[in-house]
Amino acid sequence: MSAYTVEIRVMPRASLLDPQGQAVQHALQALGFAEVANVRAGKHLVLQVQASTREEAATKARTMCDRLLANPVTEDYECSVSQ
Amino acid sequence: MQRVAVVVFPGSNCDADTLDAARAAGSDAYFVWHRDTDLKQADAAILPGGFSYGDYLRSGAIARFSPVLRAVTAHARAGGAVLGICNGFQILCEAGLLPGALMRNAGLKFLSRPVRVRMEATDTPFTGQYERGEELTLPIAHGDGRYVADAETAAMLEANGQVVLRYVTENPNGSTHDIAGVCNVGRNVVGIMPHPERRNAQVLGGQDGARIFLSLEARNATQHAGDMRAVDGRHLRV
């Protein structure tokens, strides 16, 4: 067993309204960043996971996402594993 | 008299009002703590409003893994009546007992005010005392009240008559199809964003919410008359 760092990015599904992202976009534009378009806000989780292989850590992380960390109705997720 | 279990999570804040509203309707209502593993032979379970587990991660996401939810799920799967109000609705969606999900209000603001809703389904344990199409004034108090379901699920909800409450005159939070409440296919599990327990007496500004709780009792009187059994080993009821 060794320790892996799993980084998980959870984002609101692209087809759904993301009012938080819109509010950030409007605030950036109000600050003069007129070049900003289509801001979306999600969550970034960093986990320390004990596993025997990198693949096992990734599989565990996906199970965690499916069961708790992401809502399958409204969110998509991506996991990346490093040692 | 129905036995009504009001589930209390850390962060629930409408539990006492909900208990009072159920008792005012004549139910034998009592609290069940989130660590409890049985509902003490409840006829109905109500998940009240509030901010269970601080709304961390997503509203209702952590509450759905509490021990009591196993009992609520078993009760629901056996056809028992379950009502989720506001945060309770969010928990039922997270637990997969109701379709869809509740997301941040489209306008981002937390909304706490009365809204107009239309009663769309009266064949649930909690809505039998209303008229279909009746318009009601009920308070909302939520930050995450935007009901979201994909187009296929929304079409199925409409086709099956699973939309229980719908916002009229205005959609306060951007909900899909103006949905304020839904039920499951079996029609025994109901989730609503408005708070009927805050509008069940004239002194609270109106009593449009009272029949949510009275419906349970009325159903009992008509469907279960003569149903005698031991409850909690303490007494017999007819």
Side-chain angles (χ1 to χ4, degrees), chain A residues 10 12-13 16-20 22-23 43 45 66-75, chain B residues 57-58 61-62 64-65 93-94 99-108 146 148-150:
Chain A
V10 182
R13 189 151 295 154
L16 297 174
L17 175 70
D18 174 16
Q20 195 178 197
Q22 281 184 348
K43 296 188 190 84
L45 299 105
D66 291 336
R67 293 201 59 205
L68 175 65
L69 301 178
N71 183 325
V73 179
T74 58
E75 294 170 324
Chain B
L57 197 63
R58 297 179 305 277
I62 299 186
R64 70 156 289 203
F65 293 105
C93 287
E94 283 284 344
L102 291 140
M103 297 184 75
R104 183 60 43 90
N105 294 342
L108 284 173
R146 174 168 50 110
V148 169
D150 60 38

Side-chain angles (χ1 to χ4, degrees), chain B residues 43-117:
Chain B
D43 298 297
I46 304 183
L47 279 56
F51 300 85
S52 57
Y53 300 91
D55 274 354
Y56 292 156
L57 197 63
R58 297 179 305 277
S59 301
I62 299 186
R64 70 156 289 203
F65 293 105
S66 61
V68 77
L69 249 286
R70 278 196 283 274
V72 171
T73 302
H75 177 74
R77 299 257 189 260
V82 179
L83 174 66
I85 301 168
C86 196
N87 188 226
F89 184 11
Q90 294 161 344
I91 295 167
L92 292 174
C93 287
E94 283 284 344
L97 290 171
L98 289 173
L102 291 140
M103 297 184 75
R104 183 60 43 90
N105 294 342
L108 284 173
K109 288 199 178 85
F110 187 97
L111 301 172
S112 180
R113 58 180 164 85
V115 296
R116 294 288 286 171
V117 289

Side-chain angles (χ1 to χ4, degrees), chain B residues 206-217:
Chain B
Q207 44 197 6
D208 280 354
R211 280 173 286 165
I212 293 285
F213 303 96
L214 290 166
S215 294
L216 257 186
E217 288 299 322

